[in-house]
Amino acid sequence: MVHAQFDPTARQALAVAAVAAKTRKDLSWQQIADVSGLSVAFTTAAVLGQHALPEASAKAVAELLGLDEDAVMLLRTVPTRGSIPGAVPTDPTIYRFHEMLQVYGTTLKALVHEEFGDGIISAINFKLDVKKVADPEGGERAVITLDGKYLPTKPF
């Protein structure tokens, strides 16, 4: 049976414990994703409290991290989503994403609507990928792909 959480406190505490275990065991998010059988982005989001894991994945992740059966249960519950409290994020990395949307949000909206019409990009039927690539001018670049299903607005 699928269960939902309405208070994010337990999931937040689990995320803290999971990250501590990840650090103690010197694991990467990719290693955790490998045992879950799911993508690194989805698994990371789930461990950080933003998605529910299927039973087999929850058990495998909990075992790898040395977490108990209560953790398995929490990893399987549908969370109360949203991980950034307050209006403007203060973490510099998260703030830059906020800044990108402040600068390019209306551009993205205009281009999506021009290409697809009135509707939204799903964050449920969604894929996320982060890659590091060499910058021809030196250094490295982050390539972030947000791949969501387009859902048209339906008049009623």
Side-chain angles (χ1 to χ4, degrees):
M1 171 179 263
V2 176
H3 295 282
Q5 295 174 306
F6 297 97
D7 178 357
T9 309
R11 230 16 219 284
Q12 290 167 348
L14 175 57
V16 169
V19 169
K22 172 189 176 293
T23 303
R24 238 185 344 272
K25 293 175 174 265
D26 196 28
L27 296 169
S28 68
W29 287 114
Q30 185 62 60
Q31 289 171 304
I32 297 168
D34 289 345
V35 302
S36 78
L38 302 167
S39 76
V40 67
F42 188 90
T43 302
T44 303
V47 171
L48 295 178
Q50 298 304 303
H51 291 305
L53 287 175
E55 184 175 6
S57 298
K59 286 180 178 181
V61 167
E63 183 178 335
L64 178 66
L65 294 175
L67 303 172
D68 63 17
E69 284 299 313
D70 286 341
V72 173
M73 178 193 67
L74 282 173
L75 286 168
R76 294 184 59 216
T77 60
V78 177
T80 299
R81 291 178 171 95
S83 60
I84 303 173
V88 177
T90 57
D91 176 85
T93 302
I94 297 171
Y95 174 78
R96 292 298 172 224
F97 285 102
H98 177 77
E99 179 183 41
M100 287 175 218
L101 286 176
Q102 287 288 72
V103 173
Y104 293 104
T106 53
T107 300
L108 290 167
K109 177 180 172 50
L111 294 172
V112 165
H113 292 312
E114 183 175 282
E115 185 72 24
F116 295 95
D118 186 11
I120 63 168
I121 306 300
S122 175
I124 301 300
N125 190 337
F126 185 81
K127 296 176 186 173
L128 166 68
D129 190 40
V130 178
K131 288 191 171 123
K132 178 170 51 171
V133 298
D135 186 334
E137 298 174 6
E140 298 168 331
R141 300 187 66 83
V143 176
I144 300 164
T145 303
L146 307 172
D147 179 352
K149 181 175 183 171
Y150 178 75
L151 303 171
T153 300
K154 293 183 179 181
F156 58 94

PDB file of all heavy atoms in Angstrom, residues 2 11 16-17 27 34 38 46 52 60 71 80 109 112 118 120 123 126 133 135 137 139 146 149 156:
ATOM      1  N   VAL A   2       0.473   2.259  -0.718  1.00  0.00           N
ATOM      2  CA  VAL A   2       1.208   3.516  -0.774  1.00  0.00           C
ATOM      3  C   VAL A   2       0.749   4.409   0.367  1.00  0.00           C
ATOM      4  O   VAL A   2      -0.446   4.590   0.580  1.00  0.00           O
ATOM      5  CB  VAL A   2       0.973   4.229  -2.130  1.00  0.00           C
ATOM      6  CG1 VAL A   2       1.662   5.577  -2.152  1.00  0.00           C
ATOM      7  CG2 VAL A   2       1.456   3.350  -3.272  1.00  0.00           C
ATOM      8  N   ARG A  11      11.256  12.744   7.420  1.00  0.00           N
ATOM      9  CA  ARG A  11      12.026  12.572   6.184  1.00  0.00           C
ATOM     10  C   ARG A  11      13.288  13.433   6.207  1.00  0.00           C
ATOM     11  O   ARG A  11      14.335  13.035   5.707  1.00  0.00           O
ATOM     12  CB  ARG A  11      11.135  12.959   5.020  1.00  0.00           C
ATOM     13  CG  ARG A  11      10.968  12.058   3.828  1.00  0.00           C
ATOM     14  CD  ARG A  11      11.386  10.631   3.916  1.00  0.00           C
ATOM     15  NE  ARG A  11      11.993  10.199   2.685  1.00  0.00           N
ATOM     16  CZ  ARG A  11      11.342   9.903   1.579  1.00  0.00           C
ATOM     17  NH1 ARG A  11      10.044   9.939   1.540  1.00  0.00           N
ATOM     18  NH2 ARG A  11      12.000   9.568   0.510  1.00  0.00           N
ATOM     19  N   VAL A  16      19.284  13.599   6.886  1.00  0.00           N
ATOM     20  CA  VAL A  16      20.488  13.939   7.652  1.00  0.00           C
ATOM     21  C   VAL A  16      21.256  12.665   8.002  1.00  0.00           C
ATOM     22  O   VAL A  16      22.477  12.583   7.824  1.00  0.00           O
ATOM     23  CB  VAL A  16      20.121  14.747   8.919  1.00  0.00           C
ATOM     24  CG1 VAL A  16      21.318  14.884   9.851  1.00  0.00           C
ATOM     25  CG2 VAL A  16      19.579  16.120   8.529  1.00  0.00           C
ATOM     26  N   ALA A  17      20.535  11.641   8.477  1.00  0.00           N
ATOM     27  CA  ALA A  17      21.177  10.372   8.845  1.00  0.00           C
ATOM     28  C   ALA A  17      21.776   9.684   7.619  1.00  0.00           C
ATOM     29  O   ALA A  17      22.881   9.128   7.687  1.00  0.00           O
ATOM     30  CB  ALA A  17      20.164   9.456   9.531  1.00  0.00           C
ATOM     31  N   LEU A  27      30.860   7.043   0.329  1.00  0.00           N
ATOM     32  CA  LEU A  27      30.138   6.615  -0.873  1.00  0.00           C
ATOM     33  C   LEU A  27      29.802   7.812  -1.749  1.00  0.00           C
ATOM     34  O   LEU A  27      29.613   8.928  -1.255  1.00  0.00           O
ATOM     35  CB  LEU A  27      28.831   5.915  -0.474  1.00  0.00           C
ATOM     36  CG  LEU A  27      28.969   4.620   0.316  1.00  0.00           C
ATOM     37  CD1 LEU A  27      27.615   4.198   0.873  1.00  0.00           C
ATOM     38  CD2 LEU A  27      29.556   3.532  -0.567  1.00  0.00           C
ATOM     39  N   ASP A  34      23.477   3.061  -7.914  1.00  0.00           N
ATOM     40  CA  ASP A  34      23.751   1.754  -8.516  1.00  0.00           C
ATOM     41  C   ASP A  34      23.027   0.635  -7.772  1.00  0.00           C
ATOM     42  O   ASP A  34      22.471  -0.261  -8.398  1.00  0.00           O
ATOM     43  CB  ASP A  34      25.252   1.478  -8.574  1.00  0.00           C
ATOM     44  CG  ASP A  34      25.978   2.333  -9.609  1.00  0.00           C
ATOM     45  OD1 ASP A  34      25.308   2.929 -10.485  1.00  0.00           O
ATOM     46  OD2 ASP A  34      27.223   2.416  -9.523  1.00  0.00           O
ATOM     47  N   LEU A  38      18.127   2.748  -9.920  1.00  0.00           N
ATOM     48  CA  LEU A  38      17.477   3.934 -10.493  1.00  0.00           C
ATOM     49  C   LEU A  38      18.537   4.968 -10.848  1.00  0.00           C
ATOM     50  O   LEU A  38      19.713   4.812 -10.510  1.00  0.00           O
ATOM     51  CB  LEU A  38      16.474   4.513  -9.483  1.00  0.00           C
ATOM     52  CG  LEU A  38      15.370   3.546  -9.032  1.00  0.00           C
ATOM     53  CD1 LEU A  38      14.630   4.100  -7.824  1.00  0.00           C
ATOM     54  CD2 LEU A  38      14.418   3.270 -10.182  1.00  0.00           C
ATOM     55  N   ALA A  46      15.454  11.179  -3.785  1.00  0.00           N
ATOM     56  CA  ALA A  46      14.710  10.325  -2.862  1.00  0.00           C
ATOM     57  C   ALA A  46      15.388  10.267  -1.494  1.00  0.00           C
ATOM     58  O   ALA A  46      14.729  10.417  -0.456  1.00  0.00           O
ATOM     59  CB  ALA A  46      14.557   8.922  -3.446  1.00  0.00           C
ATOM     60  N   ALA A  52       9.632   9.027  -3.258  1.00  0.00           N
ATOM     61  CA  ALA A  52       9.519   7.713  -2.629  1.00  0.00           C
ATOM     62  C   ALA A  52      10.287   6.712  -3.488  1.00  0.00           C
ATOM     63  O   ALA A  52      10.269   6.801  -4.714  1.00  0.00           O
ATOM     64  CB  ALA A  52       8.056   7.297  -2.538  1.00  0.00           C
ATOM     65  N   ALA A  60      17.608  -1.835  -0.593  1.00  0.00           N
ATOM     66  CA  ALA A  60      19.012  -1.866  -1.028  1.00  0.00           C
ATOM     67  C   ALA A  60      19.771  -0.625  -0.544  1.00  0.00           C
ATOM     68  O   ALA A  60      20.904  -0.733  -0.073  1.00  0.00           O
ATOM     69  CB  ALA A  60      19.089  -1.978  -2.551  1.00  0.00           C
ATOM     70  N   ALA A  71      13.752   3.295   8.445  1.00  0.00           N
ATOM     71  CA  ALA A  71      14.271   4.087   7.321  1.00  0.00           C
ATOM     72  C   ALA A  71      13.738   3.554   6.002  1.00  0.00           C
ATOM     73  O   ALA A  71      13.362   4.334   5.117  1.00  0.00           O
ATOM     74  CB  ALA A  71      15.793   4.086   7.326  1.00  0.00           C
ATOM     75  N   THR A  80       6.296  14.956   1.618  1.00  0.00           N
ATOM     76  CA  THR A  80       5.857  16.327   1.404  1.00  0.00           C
ATOM     77  C   THR A  80       7.033  16.996   0.706  1.00  0.00           C
ATOM     78  O   THR A  80       8.099  17.153   1.286  1.00  0.00           O
ATOM     79  CB  THR A  80       5.545  17.024   2.738  1.00  0.00           C
ATOM     80  OG1 THR A  80       4.495  16.303   3.376  1.00  0.00           O
ATOM     81  CG2 THR A  80       5.140  18.465   2.522  1.00  0.00           C
ATOM     82  N   LYS A 109       9.464  30.408 -20.294  1.00  0.00           N
ATOM     83  CA  LYS A 109       8.002  30.364 -20.413  1.00  0.00           C
ATOM     84  C   LYS A 109       7.570  30.760 -21.813  1.00  0.00           C
ATOM     85  O   LYS A 109       6.771  30.069 -22.454  1.00  0.00           O
ATOM     86  CB  LYS A 109       7.361  31.287 -19.373  1.00  0.00           C
ATOM     87  CG  LYS A 109       5.844  31.372 -19.470  1.00  0.00           C
ATOM     88  CD  LYS A 109       5.286  32.314 -18.415  1.00  0.00           C
ATOM     89  CE  LYS A 109       3.820  32.593 -18.569  1.00  0.00           C
ATOM     90  NZ  LYS A 109       2.949  31.462 -18.728  1.00  0.00           N
ATOM     91  N   VAL A 112       8.620  27.941 -24.325  1.00  0.00           N
ATOM     92  CA  VAL A 112       7.814  26.725 -24.152  1.00  0.00           C
ATOM     93  C   VAL A 112       6.426  26.940 -24.729  1.00  0.00           C
ATOM     94  O   VAL A 112       5.904  26.107 -25.474  1.00  0.00           O
ATOM     95  CB  VAL A 112       7.743  26.308 -22.661  1.00  0.00           C
ATOM     96  CG1 VAL A 112       6.626  25.295 -22.427  1.00  0.00           C
ATOM     97  CG2 VAL A 112       9.083  25.732 -22.211  1.00  0.00           C
ATOM     98  N   ASP A 118      -0.306  26.488 -24.579  1.00  0.00           N
ATOM     99  CA  ASP A 118      -0.579  26.738 -23.170  1.00  0.00           C
ATOM    100  C   ASP A 118      -0.503  25.429 -22.397  1.00  0.00           C
ATOM    101  O   ASP A 118      -1.210  24.476 -22.703  1.00  0.00           O
ATOM    102  CB  ASP A 118      -1.977  27.360 -23.029  1.00  0.00           C
ATOM    103  CG  ASP A 118      -2.290  27.777 -21.604  1.00  0.00           C
ATOM    104  OD1 ASP A 118      -1.376  27.780 -20.756  1.00  0.00           O
ATOM    105  OD2 ASP A 118      -3.472  28.096 -21.350  1.00  0.00           O
ATOM    106  N   ILE A 120       2.156  23.152 -19.150  1.00  0.00           N
ATOM    107  CA  ILE A 120       3.286  23.130 -18.218  1.00  0.00           C
ATOM    108  C   ILE A 120       4.247  21.992 -18.582  1.00  0.00           C
ATOM    109  O   ILE A 120       3.896  21.093 -19.325  1.00  0.00           O
ATOM    110  CB  ILE A 120       2.828  22.946 -16.754  1.00  0.00           C
ATOM    111  CG1 ILE A 120       2.133  21.590 -16.575  1.00  0.00           C
ATOM    112  CG2 ILE A 120       1.938  24.096 -16.308  1.00  0.00           C
ATOM    113  CD1 ILE A 120       1.913  21.189 -15.128  1.00  0.00           C
ATOM    114  N   ALA A 123       7.011  18.047 -13.544  1.00  0.00           N
ATOM    115  CA  ALA A 123       8.120  17.689 -12.658  1.00  0.00           C
ATOM    116  C   ALA A 123       7.881  16.299 -12.079  1.00  0.00           C
ATOM    117  O   ALA A 123       8.667  15.822 -11.267  1.00  0.00           O
ATOM    118  CB  ALA A 123       8.260  18.722 -11.540  1.00  0.00           C
ATOM    119  N   PHE A 126       9.433  13.206 -15.396  1.00  0.00           N
ATOM    120  CA  PHE A 126      10.581  14.104 -15.477  1.00  0.00           C
ATOM    121  C   PHE A 126      11.883  13.328 -15.372  1.00  0.00           C
ATOM    122  O   PHE A 126      11.955  12.312 -14.688  1.00  0.00           O
ATOM    123  CB  PHE A 126      10.466  15.078 -14.287  1.00  0.00           C
ATOM    124  CG  PHE A 126      11.491  16.156 -14.249  1.00  0.00           C
ATOM    125  CD1 PHE A 126      11.347  17.296 -15.017  1.00  0.00           C
ATOM    126  CD2 PHE A 126      12.583  16.051 -13.420  1.00  0.00           C
ATOM    127  CE1 PHE A 126      12.286  18.316 -14.961  1.00  0.00           C
ATOM    128  CE2 PHE A 126      13.532  17.060 -13.363  1.00  0.00           C
ATOM    129  CZ  PHE A 126      13.369  18.198 -14.138  1.00  0.00           C
ATOM    130  N   VAL A 133      31.580  18.781 -18.412  1.00  0.00           N
ATOM    131  CA  VAL A 133      32.252  18.749 -19.713  1.00  0.00           C
ATOM    132  C   VAL A 133      33.374  19.785 -19.715  1.00  0.00           C
ATOM    133  O   VAL A 133      33.340  20.765 -18.982  1.00  0.00           O
ATOM    134  CB  VAL A 133      31.272  19.019 -20.891  1.00  0.00           C
ATOM    135  CG1 VAL A 133      30.189  17.956 -20.955  1.00  0.00           C
ATOM    136  CG2 VAL A 133      30.660  20.394 -20.796  1.00  0.00           C
ATOM    137  N   ASP A 135      35.485  22.864 -20.892  1.00  0.00           N
ATOM    138  CA  ASP A 135      35.207  24.148 -21.530  1.00  0.00           C
ATOM    139  C   ASP A 135      36.343  24.426 -22.505  1.00  0.00           C
ATOM    140  O   ASP A 135      37.509  24.429 -22.100  1.00  0.00           O
ATOM    141  CB  ASP A 135      35.130  25.253 -20.477  1.00  0.00           C
ATOM    142  CG  ASP A 135      34.699  26.592 -21.047  1.00  0.00           C
ATOM    143  OD1 ASP A 135      34.913  26.855 -22.247  1.00  0.00           O
ATOM    144  OD2 ASP A 135      34.156  27.398 -20.275  1.00  0.00           O
ATOM    145  N   GLU A 137      37.443  26.992 -23.563  1.00  0.00           N
ATOM    146  CA  GLU A 137      38.215  28.163 -23.136  1.00  0.00           C
ATOM    147  C   GLU A 137      38.970  27.903 -21.841  1.00  0.00           C
ATOM    148  O   GLU A 137      39.554  28.813 -21.269  1.00  0.00           O
ATOM    149  CB  GLU A 137      37.270  29.352 -22.978  1.00  0.00           C
ATOM    150  CG  GLU A 137      36.594  29.743 -24.279  1.00  0.00           C
ATOM    151  CD  GLU A 137      35.552  30.834 -24.097  1.00  0.00           C
ATOM    152  OE1 GLU A 137      35.425  31.375 -22.974  1.00  0.00           O
ATOM    153  OE2 GLU A 137      34.866  31.129 -25.086  1.00  0.00           O
ATOM    154  N   GLY A 139      38.976  25.185 -18.109  1.00  0.00           N
ATOM    155  CA  GLY A 139      38.091  24.869 -16.992  1.00  0.00           C
ATOM    156  C   GLY A 139      37.034  23.850 -17.385  1.00  0.00           C
ATOM    157  O   GLY A 139      37.221  23.065 -18.320  1.00  0.00           O
ATOM    158  N   LEU A 146      17.040  19.230 -18.034  1.00  0.00           N
ATOM    159  CA  LEU A 146      15.738  19.071 -17.397  1.00  0.00           C
ATOM    160  C   LEU A 146      14.805  18.563 -18.487  1.00  0.00           C
ATOM    161  O   LEU A 146      14.554  19.266 -19.457  1.00  0.00           O
ATOM    162  CB  LEU A 146      15.229  20.407 -16.846  1.00  0.00           C
ATOM    163  CG  LEU A 146      16.178  21.161 -15.918  1.00  0.00           C
ATOM    164  CD1 LEU A 146      15.618  22.542 -15.603  1.00  0.00           C
ATOM    165  CD2 LEU A 146      16.422  20.370 -14.657  1.00  0.00           C
ATOM    166  N   LYS A 149       7.802  15.945 -19.294  1.00  0.00           N
ATOM    167  CA  LYS A 149       6.706  15.768 -20.251  1.00  0.00           C
ATOM    168  C   LYS A 149       5.875  17.048 -20.299  1.00  0.00           C
ATOM    169  O   LYS A 149       5.565  17.645 -19.273  1.00  0.00           O
ATOM    170  CB  LYS A 149       5.825  14.582 -19.837  1.00  0.00           C
ATOM    171  CG  LYS A 149       4.700  14.345 -20.823  1.00  0.00           C
ATOM    172  CD  LYS A 149       3.912  13.107 -20.477  1.00  0.00           C
ATOM    173  CE  LYS A 149       2.839  12.895 -21.543  1.00  0.00           C
ATOM    174  NZ  LYS A 149       2.177  11.617 -21.383  1.00  0.00           N
ATOM    175  N   PHE A 156     -12.235  23.294 -19.871  1.00  0.00           N
ATOM    176  CA  PHE A 156     -13.359  22.495 -19.370  1.00  0.00           C
ATOM    177  C   PHE A 156     -14.593  23.343 -19.220  1.00  0.00           C
ATOM    178  O   PHE A 156     -14.574  24.529 -19.279  1.00  0.00           O
ATOM    179  CB  PHE A 156     -13.024  21.812 -18.038  1.00  0.00           C
ATOM    180  CG  PHE A 156     -12.629  22.751 -16.938  1.00  0.00           C
ATOM    181  CD1 PHE A 156     -13.583  23.230 -16.030  1.00  0.00           C
ATOM    182  CD2 PHE A 156     -11.315  23.165 -16.791  1.00  0.00           C
ATOM    183  CE1 PHE A 156     -13.210  24.090 -15.024  1.00  0.00           C
ATOM    184  CE2 PHE A 156     -10.940  24.020 -15.780  1.00  0.00           C
ATOM    185  CZ  PHE A 156     -11.887  24.497 -14.881  1.00  0.00           C
TER     186      PHE A 156
END
